[in-house]
Amino acid sequence: SGDYAWNGGIFAFRAGFFLDELARHRPEIAAGARAAVAGGRSNGAHFHPDPAAFAQIHSESVDYAVMENTDRAAMVPAAMGWSDIGNWEALHEARARDAAGNHVTGPAELIDCRHVLVDTDGPRVNVIGLENVMIVVDQGEILVTSAAGAQKVGKLHGASNQ
């Protein structure tokens, strides 16, 4: 109908303003954040909150905790051409591809392939006669998945590296 806007999850606010709104709508989360900061330590330009205090904070998205409750927000419409690149297939779609729909980053050779993504940080990857496959080599970790399986990468035990 055109009466609604999509929440892209992009927020801009001053830290103090956000903390005030967090304290107003989720005081227990704000108190936990204050405790984590109070017990934290600085390392040059980096700040590390106290891990034990931080782990005690109830996890809730900014959307639910603050944005859906505040009366001090505004929405700015924007046409950004943005995509939520949440898996390797979405990244493949966002990258430039050849006439067969292939994209290669790093040393690789593809023969008779269609819709193949190869992203390697060093070892040469050779692919022959495959379709709809994602191959990622990153610091010795290797991921090979079908395009359809790209959504399941998070189920792998080593998913934090993929």
Side-chain angles (χ1 to χ4, degrees):
S1 70
D3 294 337
Y4 301 93
W6 178 68
N7 173 2
I10 301 170
F11 304 108
F13 38 69
R14 287 192 215 116
F17 172 83
F18 175 76
L19 291 172
D20 289 346
E21 287 299 289
L22 185 63
R24 185 173 155 211
H25 300 291
R26 295 296 189 274
E28 67 286 351
I29 295 175
R34 282 191 298 274
V37 169
R41 62 180 176 77
S42 293
N43 180 7
H46 300 281
F47 178 78
H48 305 276
D50 177 69
F54 189 82
Q56 295 301 311
I57 300 172
H58 169 74
S59 179
E60 187 173 6
S61 74
V62 170
D63 301 60
Y64 295 136
V66 175
M67 300 311 294
E68 289 185 2
N69 295 299
T70 187
D71 55 2
R72 301 174 62 196
M75 192 270 305
V76 178
M80 304 167 109
W82 178 78
S83 171
D84 181 12
I85 299 178
N87 65 43
W88 287 105
E89 175 65 5
L91 181 61
H92 184 212
E93 293 299 323
R95 288 180 164 172
R97 289 166 280 147
D98 66 16
N102 301 312
H103 175 85
V104 172
T105 300
E109 183 177 359
L110 279 60
I111 297 174
D112 297 331
C113 292
R114 294 187 61 227
H115 199 71
V116 170
L117 167 80
V118 175
D119 191 314
T120 176
D121 64 0
R124 180 180 172 81
V125 175
N126 298 294
V127 187
I128 301 172
L130 294 182
E131 294 186 17
N132 300 315
V133 173
M134 316 280 117
I135 302 167
V136 180
V137 181
D138 182 40
Q139 298 178 8
E141 296 279 335
I142 301 171
L143 168 69
V144 179
T145 182
S146 65
Q151 289 283 3
K152 297 179 183 174
V153 170
K155 295 181 184 233
L156 295 170
H157 293 295
S160 64
N161 296 330
Q162 300 292 331

